[in-house]
Amino acid sequence: MGQRPLRSTAGGNLPSELGRFVGRGGELAELGRLLESSRLVTVTGVGGVGKSRLALAAARAAAGGSQERYCDGVWLAELATVRDPALLELALAEALELTDHTTRPLRTVLAEHLAGRRLLLVLDGFEHLVDECAVLVRDLLRRCPGLRVLAAGRRPLALDGELAFPLAPPAAEEALALLVARASAADPAFAVTPENRPALVDLCARLDGIPLALELAAGRLRTLSPAQVLARLEDRFALLTGGARGGLARHRALRTAIGWSHELCTPAERLLWARLSVFAGQFDLDAVEYVCAGPDLPVEELLDLVGELQAQSLLVREETPAGVRFRMLETVRVYGAGWLESLGDAGRLRRRHRDWYVGLATWCELDWFSPRQQEVAALVEAELANIRLALECCLDEPDEAHLGQYLAGTLWFYWAGCGRLTEGRHWLDRALEPVDQAVEYEGSRLKALWVLGYVAALQGDATAAMSALYECRDGAARSGNPVAAAYAVHRMGCLALVSDDMARARELLGAALEQYRSAGELNSNVLMCQVELGMALAFLGDLPGALALCGEVREICEERGERWTKAYALYVLAYAALEAGRTREARQLLTECVAINHVFHDLVGLVLALELLALVTVAEGDAAEAAVLQGAAEPMWGGVGLQLFGSGYFNAPRLMCREQAGELLGAERYAAYEAEGRELSREALVGRALSGPQERAGGVPRQAGRAGGGARGSRVTTGAAERPQP
């Protein structure tokens, strides 16, 4: 179980400005006026002219302006690394921090999410997906009246109502100011003097004022004088200024600038530049050393070479939750990719890249069952663009389909535990498309099958889940693979659990647990099987059995440092404590559960824990606060899926809280407090849930009458004959 939460839409996700935004005051003002008059504005221009920076500056201005127009935030979707058109909608959902467990089309989910909101969506780097992007934007604008779109790309989307804003290079004085600002940032001792000013002005003119070209030139001013830079540009690269006949001078100037930077690199720096072009998005030094090293690029030299490329503005260094990483600007990457193709080494480097990320996924799966779970989640998140590229590399070659199956299956912990069910389903479906495959790779296919069954079960797609799990079970029996058989039976039990068939869930999960133990398997999956068996027992009324199973899981998790599965064990223990009327113990268990679920972006675990916590809050006597928590949790169910949403067992706390708090408050006051909860941001909700009853409202809970002592006010109905129906 597990999913990323839909966080609050307030604020958005705009990155902070790393460097000072220089000039462009007139363009910024005009772009703001266009956004006032049109719901779709597209900034167009040659690569490197500053489209992205201007669009982000306009977006920041919009975010800091009228709160009424963009009351649901300003959101950025960066599309340059999205190579597969099938992932376009997923990229938008990801940018909007929107998660949906169901099998509904993502376009429908996006439209429903945006339909009642007022926000600005910024699309950057869409030109390679222009047709697909145009259709998606058109559909969203038609169905979402409060949506406005600011796009930045080399060409317009060509939609009705679109206002195109062609961005020219900055004027001469602004170009000079930009060059000086960037040169001063690279070398604080740099200064404009009467002697070097003419060369600087000529350099700006020679590069047509294109910001990317100027930034590359600024990197060289650390070691060369302006006159030397200009001389090299004039003398050595006349050939590069020709370009295609009829081509824009600006395109030729950009190629000149990049080609000039390429020529000024040492042979080793050029070779590393070319090899780095196989990466997508961010990458770290370890990946560089594995993928790019060779007899002609010794590994011990790569750190210095990376530093040189960074100093020349060809690489950008970024601090991330996964540590220091590097990124190559897309225009620079494309130039390097062309050189790599000309060297005839592109295929080998792509395979090296694939092998690194297959190995990384393998290590992450093993390390997930450890105290480093949170770091593993952050690492895979940071590497997602490269993992996608590795999956495409595997699946584009029929002879390597088994690697795609292995990689897609190995990432089960990320798909299920970190909120990526929809994307996981995409890759697993692709990996399991019929291909001729050697018998020795049957294990990879079986793994992909049980992971597909797991993902589909959490999406509420019982048909697809059972199909995959039966195929896995039968294949495991034929090939004599007891571990794969155990996983298949386990996930069949998980499907029965979320389908309210508790007797079958108990039977299957118990059998799977025995098979795991016989095979010597112990990891987060095995512990989750034990927790799910504990859930089934608790729902069937066997609280001692549930306590024994989940208490053991809690001990193992604390010993191993495992937190994700521990959160589910805490949920069951809290459920049992509430059944026994021990509300203080239930609250303590649930607050830890909520904190863990929030860290791992686990939507299923979070919504279940919050609703049980709301019922605890009723039992403590604060029906008003319970209604607030319930109101905040309620919208989260929309992304969980029909199976859990329709479960009488899992939803019993929600229904009982609504009934008991509603009786104490009355329908009108309950509705008002519930509406208050729906307005809470995710961070505010979690903070509120983690605060104890004495910490709220100045230490005095909002009393609305006791929900009843002992069993009446705190018990959750568990028997199949007793459970409330949704």
Side-chain angles (χ1 to χ4, degrees):
M1 296 185 171
Q3 191 58 289
R4 169 191 306 274
L6 171 56
R7 302 183 184 93
S8 166
T9 55
N13 67 340
L14 294 181
S16 58
E17 181 68 63
L18 295 179
R20 183 168 65 89
F21 188 70
V22 179
R24 298 291 200 187
E27 292 94 332
L28 193 57
E30 177 61 20
L31 191 54
R33 286 191 291 270
L34 292 178
L35 279 171
E36 290 288 324
S37 60
S38 175
R39 295 178 59 213
L40 173 60
V41 179
T42 304
V43 182
T44 62
V46 63
V49 79
K51 301 182 295 295
S52 298
R53 279 210 165 176
L54 181 66
L56 282 173
R60 291 188 185 98
S66 171
Q67 294 301 309
E68 181 179 351
R69 168 152 289 175
Y70 304 123
C71 58
D72 290 303
V74 180
W75 300 84
L76 169 66
E78 295 180 294
L79 304 178
T81 62
V82 180
R83 311 292 173 84
D84 185 351
L87 296 177
L88 175 61
E89 290 152 336
L90 188 65
L92 259 63
E94 176 184 326
L96 291 165
E97 298 179 351
L98 170 64
T99 293
D100 186 75
H101 264 274
T102 71
T103 55
R104 296 181 298 167
L106 260 179
R107 186 162 305 191
T108 300
V109 174
L110 285 167
E112 290 181 0
H113 174 71
L114 295 171
R117 288 175 165 83
R118 300 176 64 84
L119 60 80
L120 177 64
L121 178 61
V122 183
L123 303 178
D124 188 26
F126 64 83
E127 48 272 310
H128 59 302
L129 301 169
V130 64
D131 293 334
E132 295 84 0
C133 195
V135 173
L136 178 57
V137 169
R138 180 197 63 200
D139 291 350
L140 292 178
L141 288 172
R142 284 177 176 175
R143 299 172 64 180
C144 310
L147 172 66
R148 288 179 183 247
V149 176
L150 173 59
R154 299 192 183 190
R155 54 173 293 181
L157 289 166
L159 294 174
D160 291 341
E162 177 183 23
L163 292 182
F165 184 76
L167 183 62
E173 285 303 314
E174 281 194 359
L176 179 60
L178 176 62
L179 177 62
V180 171
R182 298 298 183 252
S184 299
D187 179 9
F190 178 84
V192 181
T193 66
E195 292 75 23
N196 67 19
R197 183 182 175 87
L200 290 171
V201 171
D202 285 349
L203 184 58
C204 291
R206 183 69 181 80
L207 295 176
D208 279 342
I210 295 176
L212 176 58
L214 295 175
E215 294 198 12
L216 293 173
R220 283 297 172 186
L221 289 173
R222 293 197 318 155
T223 52
L224 300 173
S225 71
Q228 288 174 314
V229 172
L230 186 61
R232 285 171 175 262
L233 197 62
E234 291 284 0
D235 296 342
R236 286 194 172 190
F237 294 94
L239 181 63
L240 291 176
T241 63
R245 290 190 179 184
L248 292 174
R250 292 169 192 158
H251 287 87
R252 297 197 300 272
L254 180 62
R255 181 166 180 81
T256 298
I258 298 177
W260 159 73
S261 291
H262 189 267
E263 179 68 16
L264 290 178
C265 289
T266 65
E269 291 166 0
R270 291 180 215 159
L271 185 57
L272 179 58
W273 178 351
R275 291 181 178 178
L276 288 175
S277 70
V278 300
F279 289 98
Q282 300 173 336
F283 49 87
D284 65 9
L285 186 61
D286 289 339
V288 172
E289 290 176 340
Y290 179 87
V291 175
C292 301
D296 43 4
L297 276 182
V299 67
E300 60 270 15
E301 297 180 10
L302 287 178
L303 177 58
D304 290 337
L305 291 173
V306 166
E308 284 301 314
L309 292 180
Q310 180 190 343
Q312 297 168 43
S313 300
L314 296 166
L315 283 180
V316 178
R317 181 184 184 275
E318 297 179 337
E319 294 280 352
T320 76
V324 173
R325 311 186 77 71
F326 300 92
R327 177 174 53 83
M328 187 172 278
L329 296 176
E330 185 65 12
T331 305
V332 175
R333 190 199 67 77
V334 169
Y335 190 93
W339 275 90
L340 188 63
E341 289 288 347
S342 70
L343 293 172
D345 205 19
R348 184 183 72 86
L349 263 294
R350 279 194 288 268
R351 290 188 293 274
R352 293 277 294 177
H353 174 276
R354 174 207 65 200
D355 292 345
W356 170 260
Y357 287 101
V358 169
L360 181 72
T362 302
W363 174 84
C364 285
E365 182 189 27
L366 294 172
D367 221 32
W368 181 255
F369 187 47
S370 79
R372 293 177 295 278
Q373 277 186 328
Q374 190 172 347
E375 290 86 345
V376 168
L379 177 59
V380 179
E381 184 78 13
E383 293 287 13
L384 184 57
N386 283 299
I387 288 170
R388 287 169 173 166
L389 206 57
L391 282 161
E392 288 175 359
C393 181
C394 295
L395 299 176
D396 285 345
E397 297 293 332
D399 291 343
E400 297 183 347
H402 64 283
L403 285 175
Q405 293 167 358
Y406 173 80
L407 181 53
T410 295
L411 290 165
W412 67 266
F413 63 92
Y414 185 61
W415 310 138
C418 301
R420 296 284 182 174
L421 289 185
T422 302
E423 178 155 5
R425 182 70 181 272
H426 168 80
W427 292 115
L428 289 160
D429 282 339
R430 275 196 61 186
L432 288 165
E433 290 173 355
V435 292
D436 292 332
Q437 185 166 301
V439 174
E440 61 264 31
Y441 301 130
E442 179 68 8
S444 297
R445 181 171 180 81
L446 294 177
K447 185 169 190 175
L449 282 168
W450 74 253
V451 176
L452 174 59
Y454 184 18
V455 167
L458 293 179
Q459 288 184 307
D461 189 351
T463 301
M466 290 306 296
S467 176
L469 293 172
Y470 276 126
E471 183 178 349
C472 179
R473 185 194 62 181
D474 295 345
R478 286 194 307 271
S479 59
N481 188 329
V483 174
Y487 280 106
V489 174
H490 172 188
R491 292 310 165 191
M492 288 177 185
C494 177
L495 182 59
L497 182 71
V498 299
S499 303
D500 275 359
D501 190 349
M502 294 303 151
R504 180 159 174 77
R506 177 177 57 187
E507 175 189 348
L508 291 170
L509 292 168
L513 202 55
E514 288 301 319
Q515 290 175 262
Y516 282 139
R517 288 168 178 164
S518 296
E521 191 86 347
L522 180 61
N523 54 34
S524 297
N525 267 306
V526 175
L527 293 181
M528 186 63 82
C529 180
Q530 189 163 331
V531 171
E532 289 163 347
L533 178 57
M535 285 183 181
L537 293 180
F539 290 150
L540 291 171
D542 182 3
L543 295 181
L547 285 169
L549 287 170
C550 292
E552 183 182 21
V553 169
R554 183 184 188 182
E555 291 177 3
I556 295 172
C557 286
E558 289 174 350
E559 178 185 339
R560 298 292 187 115
E562 212 279 4
R563 300 175 66 202
W564 176 65
T565 308
K566 178 185 175 183
Y568 285 92
L570 295 176
Y571 172 82
V572 179
L573 294 173
Y575 184 100
L578 185 58
E579 281 285 292
R582 300 192 303 273
T583 56
R584 178 176 295 182
E585 179 186 349
R587 171 171 288 279
Q588 291 173 343
L589 292 164
L590 287 170
T591 52
E592 185 179 357
C593 182
V594 167
I596 295 172
N597 288 326
H598 184 55
V599 164
F600 285 103
H601 311 304
D602 188 334
L603 180 59
V604 171
L606 186 61
V607 69
L608 291 175
L610 284 170
E611 292 194 337
L612 196 57
L613 185 60
L615 188 57
V616 169
T617 307
V618 172
E620 292 171 337
D622 196 348
E625 182 65 15
V628 172
L629 293 176
Q630 187 60 63
E634 187 87 25
M636 297 167 61
W637 280 108
V640 168
L642 295 176
Q643 287 291 337
L644 285 179
F645 190 80
S647 167
Y649 287 102
F650 283 105
N651 285 297
R654 172 173 61 92
L655 299 174
M656 293 181 67
C657 177
R658 177 184 296 168
E659 176 188 353
Q660 294 180 16
E663 286 178 0
L664 292 165
L665 293 170
E668 186 174 343
R669 292 181 64 207
Y670 179 85
Y673 284 123
E674 194 176 48
E676 178 185 334
R678 283 195 291 270
E679 296 301 314
L680 289 176
S681 69
R682 183 71 68 235
E683 293 295 332
L685 168 61
V686 170
R688 194 158 181 156
L690 297 183
S691 66
Q694 299 307 314
E695 298 176 49
R696 296 191 296 269
V700 181
R702 293 176 295 188
Q703 297 291 337
R706 282 282 189 210
R712 167 63 180 89
S714 59
R715 289 195 62 197
V716 185
T717 309
T718 56
E722 305 175 83
R723 75 174 188 271
Q725 293 300 317

